[in-house]
Amino acid sequence: NAGVTQTPKFRVLKTGQSMTLLCAQDMNHEYMYWYRQDPGMGLRLIHYSVGEGTTAKGEVPDGYNVSRLKKQNFLLGLESAAPSQTSVYFCATRGPYEQYFGPGTRLTVT
Amino acid sequence: KNQVEQSPQSLIILEGKNCTLQCNYTVSPFSNLRWYKQDTGRGPVSLTIMTFSENTKSNGRYTATLDADTKQSSLHITASQLSDSASYICVVSYSNSGYALNFGKGTSLLVTP
């Protein structure tokens, strides 16, 4: 039982490049989330999904897109990376009582 | 505007000592309050979760209290260990919300030998 996994763990992009972050869960949870964490700030919600095939915007959605084609996977895409998107990205799922976070992806955009 | 404020921002204590971290919130309506521990380079891990009707909850050496009237919570760590060095995050959930968690900025705790 791996819980919530994220790939890749680290990535460096140049401005304008694109990439996709993958989140996978094996807990059969309906709700999945993408957050970003920046120094001196609390985690902020980018996008979330309440089930397969559904997505919705969170607090800071601009510059990101998401897809939930399969229940166990939640993808976060950056179409044209900007230095302001340098951050640590966390995926999470919601179970009956709490949220479970992945280990994070550290993204640097130069 | 962050509706969850934590204090202190950082704290250094000696191994074996106790400490208390504070969380004040203005989130309304209130559903539940959680404390998470985040080790460096890791995702947050849940320590406690309290609903409106609960005023204390323990998890080993961690004890969380909640005063819903004053909208304050505290996390007390007893007999600290080096492994307690981490960021502790207070998170408040809205009622009637399927997704919204309001995160504090965290208190960075360093336990020294």
Side-chain angles (χ1 to χ4, degrees), chain A residues 20-21 32-34 46-49 53-58 61 63-69 73-79:
Chain A
T20 300
L21 283 67
M32 296 187 74
Y33 311 81
W34 275 108
I46 304 171
H47 285 279
Y48 67 101
S49 169
T54 70
T55 64
K57 294 180 179 180
Y64 305 95
N65 57 76
V66 288
S67 64
R68 184 96 180 269
L69 299 180
N73 295 336
F74 194 28
L75 279 63
L76 177 70
L78 287 74
E79 291 186 347

Side-chain angles (χ1 to χ4, degrees), chain A residues 34-46 60 85-90 101 103-107, chain B residues 38-39 41-44 87 89 103-106:
Chain A
W34 275 108
Y35 294 93
R36 61 178 290 173
Q37 187 176 39
D38 301 294
M41 303 186 72
L43 277 82
R44 292 181 293 170
L45 182 64
I46 304 171
V60 288
Q85 293 177 304
T86 293
S87 187
V88 181
Y89 292 86
F90 288 99
F101 287 84
T105 294
R106 183 173 294 275
L107 174 66
Chain B
Q38 185 176 21
D39 292 314
R42 301 285 188 95
S87 179
I89 304 172
F103 289 81
K105 296 180 182 181

